[in-house]
Amino acid sequence: MRRLTALLPILRRLTPAGWMVGGIVLIGVLALGLGAAGFRWDPFDLSRRRLEAAERAAVAVRTEASARAAEALGQAGQILRLEAAHDRLRSLDRVTSRSLQSARTADDASLPIPDDRAARLRDHDRELCRITPDLGGCTPAPEPAGDGDPTL
């Protein structure tokens, strides 16, 4: 009570500017106290907007990461297919080189084709078709008979 009576003469001498400063200080102290108590005032809903923007960014990052992973997987598959094709080409070249060398150095290279030479050529053709069955002139593997089709 004694403090309040000591405060009254001071309050009576305040000018309107002093009252304004006092009011502003009181509002500031009140805001600090409420903020410390956990009260948040967000009249423009900025925190929700920030959260939605962060969620959209996270979805975009996940989508991009998924696309990059799919791209890397596809590239790895492409490299494997390319290596398999190169291996096939090297095998074809090796088999053809051996066959050409054998044909050129054979005793019967200048004679009409006898049976054993024709057999060598057939063996070479079979080897080529075994390595790459999609070559022109290779007979395709028979497909399974469908409903109503006669079996072989």
Side-chain angles (χ1 to χ4, degrees):
M1 185 80 156
R2 198 178 249 187
R3 287 186 185 167
L4 190 59
T5 56
L7 199 62
L8 281 175
I10 295 173
L11 291 176
R12 284 186 193 141
R13 279 191 251 153
L14 282 178
T15 62
W19 280 104
M20 231 168 33
V21 168
I24 290 173
V25 168
L26 182 63
I27 289 172
V29 168
L30 215 105
L32 284 175
L34 288 173
F39 178 76
R40 297 287 180 255
W41 186 53
D42 192 6
F44 300 114
D45 208 13
L46 294 177
S47 61
R48 183 185 57 81
R49 290 182 187 177
R50 274 190 233 114
L51 176 65
E52 288 174 355
E55 287 173 350
R56 282 193 304 270
V59 167
V61 166
R62 273 186 297 230
T63 303
E64 187 174 329
S66 174
R68 288 184 190 274
E71 182 179 313
L73 187 62
Q75 187 176 14
Q78 181 66 23
I79 288 171
L80 290 175
R81 288 188 295 275
L82 187 62
E83 286 176 355
H86 282 280
D87 287 344
R88 216 175 328 149
L89 285 174
R90 282 190 289 271
S91 295
L92 286 172
D93 189 40
R94 193 171 40 251
V95 168
T96 304
S97 296
R98 275 194 310 241
S99 178
L100 282 175
Q101 185 65 25
S102 172
R104 287 183 182 145
T105 59
D107 296 334
D108 58 355
S110 60
L111 300 175
I113 299 178
D115 291 336
D116 60 335
R117 188 170 182 199
R120 281 197 314 266
L121 291 172
R122 276 193 300 278
D123 289 342
H124 179 257
D125 285 346
R126 268 191 234 107
E127 184 69 16
L128 289 177
C129 287
R130 184 190 62 77
I131 294 171
T132 55
D134 56 340
L135 273 178
C138 292
T139 56
E143 295 185 20
D147 292 336
D149 290 340
T151 57
L152 296 175

